[in-house]
Amino acid sequence: MNSQHPTPNNQQRIQISQVVVTAQQMREIEARIFAAGMPVAALMEKVAGLIARRIQVLYLSEDAETENFSVSVRPHKVGILVGPGHNGGDALVVARELYFRGYAVYIYSPFAKLKELTSQHLQYAQSLGIPCYQSIEDLPKCDLLVDGLFGFGLERELQDPIASAINQLNHKSVPIISIDMPSGLHTDTGEVLGTAIRASHTFCLGLWKLGLLQDQALEYVGKAELIDFDIPWADVEAVLGETPRIKRVTKDSVFSTVPLPRPAVTHKYKEGHLLLICGSRRYAGGAILTGLGARASGVGMLSIAVPESLKPILVSHLPEALIVGCPETQTGAIAQLQLPENTDLNSFDAIACGPGLTKDASPIVQQVLESTIPLVLDADGLNILAEMGTPPNPPLTKGGTKGGIRQALTVLTPHTGEFQRLFPDLPDAKHNRIEAVREAAAQSGAVVLLKGARTAIANSEGAVWIVPESTPALARGGSGDVLTGLMGGLIAQAVTHQIPAEDMVAAAAWWHAQAGILAAQERTELGVDAFTLTQYLIKFLSLINKPLA
Ligand SMILES: NC(=O)C1=CN([C@@H]2O[C@H](COP(=O)(O)OP(=O)(O)OC[C@H]3O[C@@H](n4cnc5c(N)ncnc54)[C@H](OP(=O)(O)O)[C@@H]3O)[C@@H](O)[C@H]2O)[C@@H](O)CC1
Ligand SMILES: Nc1ncnc2c1ncn2[C@@H]1O[C@H](COP(=O)(O)OP(=O)(O)O)[C@@H](O)[C@H]1O
Ligand SMILES: [K+]
């Protein structure tokens, strides 16, 4: 979509923004940089200089983005929270820089023992006359706080007096900028180790830390942004491999996936034929929303199998789709798939099955599992699958190499409840969602998409994609149905456009979240019902797909 070709270096910076690391991986990357000759102090100076400048732009300058500051006065008094390690060192360099820019700076440094470099910076700051306090009670009232207590070196629960100092600071309703991680969060799991800083902004240094992308961290992280300090790609590659295992889904990754532009010469069947199987007399709306999600994918042909009694309403909402009315059970679920003559399940490019089916449609799920084309299972499709045995056994292996029952891609899209029904023996998905989804994909042989505030996707080879932004506006009945349709439609187009279907799963989840964000910006977080969301999918795409000069 983008007509500008980035230079190799730009390309690497784009890749850097997609990488996600654990604390251990960051340590190894850092060690390589230092071993290659970069002085530790020089790197700290560079990083903290970037942080100080960013703080000024966001909070302190004349034209600071006012949304970052709720109080009418521009901040002048800045409190700097200093921990014992290099996170504290970064904070002290920021303190010195802001002091020289004319701000009133106050340091809170409660630790008796500091790392060498941190100790030197503290000594210099004090020599300049910057006041320094050991007790939180003595720290004067500030308009802005910079949190350099702990970064990726934090490994144990916080104790008093630090824990109670953090609790007091959190209650002051003063904006807090956290350096690297909000102090108190575990770098990998995002778990709160006793207590943690509730940041307004987190400036993550160099590479995204996994913990910042875990649901349980979000209320502490505030707005997160990456401070890119030019980590050489070779060092990232040396530690993580050519293709990092955990990646953030970004605009750049999605735009090389979405099937645009279309080839000039094409026809409807070349642009994918999706079969949706959804709905019941009780849940007609789910079928409509899934259909509207699929419509937004641009899929060439859309067929929708629903119980016969739903056919008129589906036709009225989706006149372009082929609505296949099926015989129904007494309860109004699909009793049997009645596809048009000369058509079987393998005539399509992809199937998405589940929204609104009810559990009475279990023979249908059994039947679609036997198809040999890509399949998305959601909602009741997952509940029925869970009743067949957990974890899915035999596995839903793609290619059948592990003796699984499927020869093509299977995508499971559970929310946390459905996930726990499907994978009851897995580590609590709330504790470490990324590990849980990775393990689920390995066990089931499927691509598993675990829904949430930060949706995570894994395949059975251990690759993980995380959708890094979303909005709680999507926490609303029906928004998952929209995702299922959108994803099915994109997967159906994957073959023609020679794009790995797994990338389409990540692209669908990202696009869905971005459409939600745009809709929430225009209509508030209360204004994003699932139907409205379907209208914002193409609106979002057209806004960001303006041709570049
Ligand atoms: N990577 C990079 O490229 C760059 C990294 N940089 C910066 O370095 C940061 C990492 O620095 P770091 O390794 O010194 O660790 P950090 O998080 O400051 O603190 C660990 C200290 O806390 C202590 N401690 C631990 N738990 C504790 C507890 N519960 N309660 C009390 N104490 C506890 C622990 O000591 P211990 O008691 O375990 O001996 C240790 O001394 C990183 O986040 C970034 O800001 C930039 O400067 C340049 C580029
Ligand atoms: N707090 C949240 N922040 C961001 N996205 C959310 C949040 N809660 C839910 N979502 C998203 O909304 C969708 C809800 O899907 P699901 O639970 O299947 O709903 P339904 O079955 O009613 O359609 C998922 O895509 C999920 O990631
Ligand atoms: K911090």
Side-chain angles (χ1 to χ4, degrees):
M1 286 166 121
N2 186 337
S3 59
Q4 284 182 336
H5 279 283
T7 63
N9 199 35
N10 269 346
Q11 189 58 43
Q12 288 173 355
R13 290 347 286 170
I14 289 171
Q15 279 176 284
I16 288 273
S17 73
Q18 294 169 358
V19 167
V20 180
V21 289
T22 61
Q24 180 55 28
Q25 289 167 337
M26 192 68 195
R27 265 181 224 116
E28 287 172 27
I29 291 168
E30 182 188 56
R32 288 181 60 87
I33 297 172
F34 296 145
M38 180 68 177
V40 179
L43 192 62
M44 184 180 283
E45 202 62 29
K46 171 169 178 160
V47 171
L50 292 169
I51 298 169
R53 257 167 275 151
R54 195 69 191 122
I55 292 176
Q56 280 190 275
V57 170
L58 282 176
Y59 288 89
L60 301 175
S61 63
E62 287 288 333
D63 50 357
E65 292 171 20
T66 44
E67 62 172 301
N68 290 315
F69 203 63
S70 49
V71 187
S72 53
V73 196
R74 193 140 29 87
H76 182 69
K77 292 182 174 177
V78 185
I80 309 281
L81 318 175
V82 177
H86 285 173
N87 198 251
D90 290 347
L92 285 163
V93 175
V94 171
R96 189 198 66 208
E97 289 303 296
L98 295 182
Y99 166 81
F100 281 124
R101 303 283 87 75
Y103 298 96
V105 177
Y106 306 92
I107 291 170
Y108 166 61
S109 176
F111 292 91
K113 199 164 167 294
L114 307 180
K115 278 192 178 174
E116 174 79 18
L117 188 54
T118 308
S119 170
Q120 285 171 354
H121 281 303
L122 180 64
Q123 191 184 334
Y124 186 58
Q126 285 179 303
S127 80
L128 294 170
I130 302 177
C132 179
Y133 309 94
Q134 279 194 314
S135 155
I136 196 68
E137 282 74 24
D138 296 336
L139 183 73
K141 191 172 178 311
C142 294
D143 323 305
L144 181 67
L145 294 167
V146 177
D147 156 35
L149 288 170
F150 304 102
F152 63 69
L154 182 72
E155 277 162 354
R156 320 188 287 280
E157 289 253 324
L158 294 181
Q159 310 284 335
D160 278 339
I162 305 303
S164 57
I166 288 180
N167 292 338
Q168 281 184 47
L169 292 166
N170 282 340
H171 281 104
K172 285 193 192 292
S173 49
V174 169
I176 308 181
I177 296 164
S178 282
I179 298 178
D180 216 8
M181 293 289 296
S183 299
L185 291 192
H186 190 284
T187 307
D188 301 345
T189 63
E191 206 175 352
V192 177
L193 296 172
T195 187
I197 290 281
R198 283 179 191 272
S200 331
H201 242 111
T202 299
F203 294 148
C204 179
L205 307 182
L207 296 168
W208 285 102
K209 311 298 176 312
L210 180 55
L212 296 174
L213 296 160
Q214 300 263 15
D215 278 19
Q216 60 187 345
L218 295 189
E219 56 178 299
Y220 296 86
V221 170
K223 287 188 191 169
E225 70 176 67
L226 187 70
I227 302 285
D228 181 357
F229 62 84
D230 304 314
I231 295 181
W233 182 251
D235 291 316
V236 176
E237 218 175 57
V239 173
L240 302 180
E242 246 174 75
T243 314
R245 305 301 274 165
I246 309 178
K247 287 207 261 187
R248 290 166 84 246
V249 188
T250 63
K251 183 173 151 186
D252 294 291
S253 61
V254 170
F255 271 35
S256 55
T257 304
V258 171
L260 281 176
R262 281 188 159 189
V265 180
T266 186
H267 56 75
K268 61 192 174 198
Y269 290 109
K270 252 186 147 173
E271 297 304 323
H273 191 172
L274 171 68
L275 174 65
L276 293 180
I277 305 172
C278 47
S280 58
R281 217 181 303 141
R282 194 173 337 144
Y283 301 120
I288 297 169
L289 291 168
T290 313
L292 292 174
R295 170 191 274 177
S297 73
V299 69
M301 273 298 290
L302 177 59
S303 293
I304 311 180
V306 289
E308 184 66 40
S309 57
L310 262 57
K311 191 170 174 178
I313 190 164
L314 264 289
V315 171
S316 72
H317 279 90
L318 290 134
E320 77 276 28
L322 177 72
I323 310 297
V324 183
C326 299
E328 18 186 307
T329 63
Q330 279 193 332
T331 55
I334 300 175
Q336 191 194 328
L337 280 177
Q338 209 164 61
L339 297 174
E341 222 174 301
N342 298 327
T343 308
D344 65 26
L345 285 175
N346 298 324
S347 315
F348 299 90
D349 293 303
I351 301 172
C353 171
L357 280 185
T358 78
K359 284 204 272 185
D360 295 340
S362 64
I364 308 302
V365 172
Q366 187 72 56
Q367 201 180 335
V368 296
L369 283 169
E370 285 159 17
S371 69
T372 55
I373 58 166
L375 168 66
V376 180
L377 274 187
D378 182 34
D380 283 323
L382 299 172
N383 293 330
I384 292 167
L385 186 67
E387 286 186 350
M388 292 176 187
T390 54
N393 191 13
L396 309 165
T397 318
K398 179 182 161 187
T401 49
K402 293 185 206 157
I405 51 169
R406 301 226 61 239
Q407 292 164 30
L409 177 81
T410 313
V411 184
L412 309 178
T413 60
H415 55 55
T416 312
E418 289 158 346
F419 186 90
Q420 272 157 2
R421 282 194 285 280
L422 275 170
F423 304 102
D425 299 332
L426 281 189
D428 180 6
K430 283 188 190 131
H431 172 70
N432 188 343
R433 287 166 44 87
I434 309 303
E435 268 318 300
V437 76
R438 191 161 25 198
E439 185 56 33
Q443 277 190 9
S444 64
V447 169
V448 181
L449 177 150
L450 176 55
K451 291 169 178 168
R454 294 290 176 270
T455 289
I457 302 150
N459 70 12
S460 56
E461 286 87 49
V464 176
W465 296 259
I466 306 175
V467 179
E469 296 168 332
S470 190
T471 167
L474 290 179
R476 213 161 157 171
S479 47
D481 301 340
V482 176
L483 175 62
T484 301
L486 178 69
M487 188 184 299
L490 287 178
I491 292 175
Q493 296 172 74
V495 178
T496 296
H497 291 267
Q498 296 185 322
I499 291 164
E502 292 166 4
D503 290 346
M504 289 297 199
V505 176
W510 183 86
W511 181 3
H512 178 258
Q514 291 292 326
I517 292 170
L518 177 65
Q521 275 164 1
E522 291 189 2
R523 296 170 52 90
T524 83
E525 288 174 354
L526 303 185
V528 194
D529 59 277
F531 175 79
T532 298
L533 176 65
T534 66
Q535 308 302 295
Y536 273 81
L537 288 167
I538 289 296
K539 185 169 179 181
F540 169 76
L541 197 62
S542 56
L543 271 181
I544 58 166
N545 189 35
K546 297 263 183 302
L548 296 168

